[in-house]
């Protein structure tokens, strides 16, 4: 019997190499240089990072994008948006100019900041390329972030960055500029004749500067927009959007190749979910209220500070003397987060379940409360701490309520009519607010609807702390956690600062 050599390639057949093997056969990893603070993100990163960096960098950038989107939904002016976002950028995604260091772009700290910015952009690009809606939202908010950074960049560094991009912009010659002079003066608001004669002008397709055309700030002739050099930002932003849209489209085609990587796929799926409502972790210090008498007897009085989801649970509990499992779990963890002790929580539930006997309560419900607090069950690492209070993102995306259940988020799980009726029972009767909530819910901006109600209910207190400067800009972040809602409401109504003022606060009974 003749043995065939399987290693030998049949000359009559083509030697086809898998596209995956061909793509990664000669992979070259290199450390990239970042000479400028700004970036168009044209070149993907190629160096290695840890999984922890992969996830944390993406989460930090997502926080910024979520706040930017919230500012646009709340119709904040560019100045208000900049004042709100700047401290958050310094905390989560700092990006300083070359002039901030004597070493310039060679400074290791600047390199690390720009590396994090570069990688986090491409990580989120992977997470938000799966659907057209995510791609459109991501491009819009990334454009807003780029605009904010472009406006705050050093003038010389900004110009050097623009020159490095080598845009194919057609410069308007002097004779054409003189010929169209009257038209350019009339069509460009605020333009002086001296600027017309001495300043530079560019001629581009009008589709590149839709913002300028819409606001009638440029002269358009034969499909070309005549843009003065002072309006350079609009052209740069337009070019940034065009390149980002193309990049997102290419990324979406490459996404199926990631399905085999079980390390990255869960992280990217979690990030894309968080774009609906940013995730939030709650530390004990974030929810602590020093001196506040939070006991089983005071929960009814404290309910005025609860967000709508917890207020609905509390009202249902008082009406029915019972809540089903997920409602009890959601409410128990919330009460734990506001500072209710295990003993008081057990007392609260026993008094609330007044239609059952002590024996039934001890057999069917007591253990679950202790388990949530970490008093029993669980592994050694979690014991003593228990479960964390549910964030808005977790409430929105996990365990939707069924028949007879009261947990979840009313802004998502209630019909518009039922939601309006519930809001009116809590005192929200302003037509503009109710109309705004309805629009937010229809556009699936559930956390924005909740923040809208919070701002209306505390409009007087928010005005006061803004005028006296007792709250920093970071203390007015978009609320993405029920316990954050409670703490801010309590402190605003009781006249304390965002940090509790370091003194005891009295509770209104």
């Amino acid at each position: 019997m003749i043995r065939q050599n399987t290693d030998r390639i049949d000359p009559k057949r083509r030697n086809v190499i898998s596209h995956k093997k061909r793509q990664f056969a000669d992979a070259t990893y290199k450390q990239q240089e970042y000479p400028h603070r700004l970036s168009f993100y044209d070149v993907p990163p190629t160096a290695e990072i840890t999984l922890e960096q992969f996830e944390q960098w993406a989460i930090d950038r997502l926080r910024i994008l979520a706040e930017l989107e919230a500012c646009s939904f709340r119709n904040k002016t560019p100045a208000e948006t900049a004042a709100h976002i700047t401290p958050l950028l310094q905390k989560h995604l700092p990006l300083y100019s070359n002039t901030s260091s004597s070493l310039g772009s060679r400074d290791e700290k600047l390199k690390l900041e720009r590396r994090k910015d570069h990688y986090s952009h491409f990580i989120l690009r992977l997470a938000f390329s799966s659907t057209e809606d995510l791609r459109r939202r991501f491009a819009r908010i990334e454009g807003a972030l780029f605009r904010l950074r472009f406006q705050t960049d050093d003038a010389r560094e900004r110009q050097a960055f623009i020159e490095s991009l080598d845009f194919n912009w057609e410069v308007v010659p002097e004779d054409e500029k003189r010929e169209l002079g009257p038209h350019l003066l009339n069509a460009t608001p605020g333009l002086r004749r001296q600027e017309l004669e001495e300043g530079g002008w560019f001629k581009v397709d009008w589709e590149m500067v839709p913002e300028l055309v819409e606001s009638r700030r440029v002269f358009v002739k034969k499909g070309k927009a005549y843009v003065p050099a002072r309006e350079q930002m609009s052209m740069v932003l337009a070019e940034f959007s065009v390149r980002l849209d193309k990049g997102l489209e290419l990324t979406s085609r490459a996404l199926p190749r990631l399905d085999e990587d079980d390390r990255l796929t869960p992280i990217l799926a979690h990030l894309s979910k968080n774009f609906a409502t940013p995730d939030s972790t709650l530390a004990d210090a974030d929810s602590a209220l020093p001196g506040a008498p939070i006991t089983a007897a005071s929960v009814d009085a404290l309910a005025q500070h609860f967000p709508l989801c917890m207020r609905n649970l509390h009202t249902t509990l008082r009406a029915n003397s019972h809540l089903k499992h997920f409602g009890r779990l959601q409410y128990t963890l919330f009460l734990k987060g506001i500072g209710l002790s295990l003993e008081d929580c057990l007392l609260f539930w026993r008094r609330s379940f007044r239609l059952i006997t002590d024996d039934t309560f001890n057999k069917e419900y007591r253990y679950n409360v202790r388990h949530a607090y970490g008093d029993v069950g669980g592994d050694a690492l979690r014991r003593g701490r228990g479960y964390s209070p549910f964030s808005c993102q977790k409430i929105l995306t996990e365990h939707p309520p069924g028949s007879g259940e009261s947990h979840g988020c009313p802004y998502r799980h209630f019909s518009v009519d039922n939601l309006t009726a519930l809001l009116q029972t809590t005192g929200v009767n302003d037509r503009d607010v109710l109309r705004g909530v309805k629009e937010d819910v229809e556009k699936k901006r559930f956390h924005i609807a909740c923040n809208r109600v919070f701002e209306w209910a505390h409009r007087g207190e928010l005005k006061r702390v803004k005028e006296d400067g007792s709250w920093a800009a970071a203390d007015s972040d978009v609320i993405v956690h029920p316990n954050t809602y409670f703490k801010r409401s309590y402190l605003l109504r009781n006249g304390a600062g965002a940090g509790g003022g370091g003194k005891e606060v009295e509770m209104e009974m």
Side-chain angles (χ1 to χ4, degrees):
M1 182 175 179
I2 301 176
R3 178 176 294 176
Q4 185 176 0
N5 185 4
T6 56
D7 296 332
R8 184 172 177 270
I9 299 175
D10 188 346
K12 294 182 180 180
R13 297 175 62 189
R14 294 180 60 192
N15 182 19
V16 180
I17 303 176
S18 169
H19 71 277
K20 294 182 181 179
K21 293 182 178 179
R22 189 188 312 119
Q23 180 183 8
F24 297 107
D26 299 318
T28 55
Y29 299 97
K30 62 179 182 179
Q31 194 73 26
Q32 288 186 308
E33 298 295 328
Y34 302 102
H36 306 288
R37 173 177 178 257
L38 300 174
S39 174
F40 262 28
Y41 309 106
D42 289 326
V43 181
T46 54
E48 294 182 354
I49 60 173
T50 66
L51 279 176
E52 290 77 11
Q53 289 175 322
F54 184 94
E55 185 171 17
Q56 188 58 50
W57 290 358
I59 290 174
D60 287 344
R61 191 182 194 92
L62 184 59
R63 287 173 174 163
I64 301 300
L65 298 185
E67 289 293 335
L68 272 172
E69 188 176 46
C71 287
S72 67
F73 289 158
R74 296 156 81 184
N75 297 320
K76 287 196 172 187
T77 64
E80 291 174 336
T81 300
H84 179 72
I85 294 297
T86 300
L88 297 176
L89 281 171
Q90 293 173 349
K91 179 180 179 181
H92 298 295
L93 203 64
L95 200 63
Y96 291 97
S97 60
N98 293 338
T99 54
S100 64
S101 172
S102 58
L103 297 176
S105 60
R106 295 173 297 159
D107 188 282
E108 288 301 322
K109 183 180 178 182
L110 293 183
K111 286 182 180 180
L112 181 60
E113 291 175 354
R114 295 171 186 184
R115 184 170 176 238
K116 179 180 178 179
D117 176 70
H118 186 210
Y119 277 73
S120 62
H121 170 87
F122 276 93
I123 295 168
L124 292 189
R125 189 184 286 197
L126 285 173
F128 303 132
S129 294
S130 57
T131 66
E132 178 64 30
D133 178 59
L134 285 176
R135 290 196 295 270
R136 185 169 56 251
R137 288 178 61 195
F138 180 70
R140 184 179 71 251
I141 306 304
E142 276 287 337
L145 177 59
F146 182 84
R147 174 196 291 270
L148 180 64
R149 286 174 166 172
F150 188 89
Q151 291 172 329
T152 57
D153 200 17
D154 179 80
R156 286 181 294 180
E157 290 186 36
R158 182 170 57 211
Q159 191 58 38
F161 168 71
I162 294 174
E163 292 172 357
S164 70
L165 297 172
D166 193 24
F167 288 133
N168 188 25
W169 294 341
E170 183 181 352
V171 179
V172 179
E174 289 296 326
D175 56 344
E176 186 176 2
K177 187 165 65 172
R178 284 193 296 270
E179 179 185 347
L180 298 175
H183 299 290
L184 297 177
L185 278 173
N186 294 331
T188 311
L191 183 69
R192 293 175 299 194
R193 180 167 294 278
Q194 184 179 0
E195 292 181 79
L196 171 65
E197 297 172 353
E198 298 177 359
W201 287 78
F202 301 98
K203 184 164 58 174
V204 298
D205 292 335
W206 72 268
E207 295 98 332
M208 281 189 61
V209 285
E211 182 182 89
L212 298 179
V213 175
E214 182 184 12
S215 56
R216 300 188 177 187
R217 285 153 52 195
V218 290
F219 175 66
V220 180
K221 181 180 179 181
K222 296 181 179 179
K224 296 290 183 179
Y226 291 76
V227 185
R230 69 178 187 180
E231 298 287 0
Q232 210 172 33
M233 184 179 73
S234 294
M235 294 190 294
V236 174
L237 288 172
E239 186 67 27
F240 176 83
S241 298
V242 169
R243 296 191 188 188
L244 180 56
D245 288 339
K246 291 180 180 178
L248 288 169
E249 186 65 33
L250 291 174
T251 304
S252 68
R253 297 176 189 173
L255 278 181
R257 303 182 191 176
L258 284 176
D259 291 342
E260 300 175 3
D261 194 329
D262 55 3
R263 302 170 305 163
L264 301 184
T265 304
I267 297 176
L268 296 175
H270 181 68
L271 291 170
S272 62
K273 280 184 180 179
N274 285 353
F275 207 26
T277 299
D279 203 357
S280 173
T281 56
L282 192 76
D284 292 339
D286 295 333
S287 57
L289 287 171
I294 298 176
T295 64
S298 65
V299 172
D300 286 327
L302 292 170
Q304 61 176 310
H305 305 295
F306 290 179
L308 195 62
C309 53
M310 302 304 167
R311 204 158 181 175
N312 177 56
L313 286 170
H314 185 78
T315 303
T316 304
L317 177 61
R318 287 292 178 252
N320 302 332
S321 299
H322 187 266
L323 285 177
K324 291 193 174 182
H325 171 72
F326 285 115
R328 295 197 307 272
L329 179 60
Q330 179 176 319
Y331 197 29
T332 297
L333 295 176
F334 171 77
L335 294 174
K336 173 192 170 190
I338 70 174
L340 192 67
S341 66
L342 173 58
E343 292 75 16
D344 275 305
C345 193
L346 288 168
L347 180 61
F348 168 78
W349 282 111
R350 179 63 196 100
R351 290 176 176 174
S352 300
F353 284 17
R354 56 187 175 82
L355 302 180
I356 62 175
T357 64
D358 289 342
D359 188 52
T360 303
F361 178 82
N362 291 333
K363 285 182 178 179
E364 299 183 12
Y365 303 106
R366 185 181 182 88
Y367 183 89
N368 289 338
V369 177
R370 295 178 62 198
H371 184 70
Y373 272 75
D375 188 50
V376 293
D379 54 38
L381 292 177
R382 190 182 61 78
R383 192 172 296 125
R385 296 194 307 270
Y387 296 102
S388 299
F390 289 170
S391 66
C392 294
Q393 191 264 341
K394 189 176 183 69
I395 293 172
L396 284 167
T397 58
E398 297 184 11
H399 307 299
S403 177
E405 294 182 312
S406 304
H407 66 280
C409 173
Y411 296 102
R412 175 169 188 173
H413 300 120
F414 278 31
S415 66
V416 174
D417 291 339
N418 289 341
L419 174 61
T420 301
L422 179 60
L423 286 170
Q424 288 175 336
T425 62
T426 63
V428 182
N429 298 305
D430 187 275
R431 292 185 179 180
D432 292 335
V433 174
L434 294 174
R435 188 184 306 112
V437 167
K438 181 181 177 181
E439 293 175 358
D440 290 332
V441 169
E442 289 174 348
K443 296 178 181 178
K444 301 187 184 303
R445 305 192 304 232
F446 308 113
H447 65 300
I448 299 299
C450 187
N451 278 267
R452 185 187 298 275
V453 172
F454 178 88
E455 290 176 356
W456 179 84
H458 302 82
R459 56 195 182 280
E461 294 86 350
L462 288 170
K463 181 181 179 182
R464 171 177 54 79
V465 297
K466 185 176 181 180
E467 290 175 350
D468 60 28
S470 58
W471 278 32
D475 297 323
S476 301
D477 294 351
V478 175
I479 297 172
V480 291
H481 202 293
N483 291 80
T484 305
Y485 186 110
F486 167 79
K487 181 178 180 181
R488 287 192 191 171
S489 175
Y490 184 90
L491 293 175
L492 284 169
R493 291 281 168 81
N494 287 278
K503 59 181 180 180
E504 294 191 357
V505 289
E506 295 296 330
M507 186 186 67
E508 296 177 357
M509 296 295 290

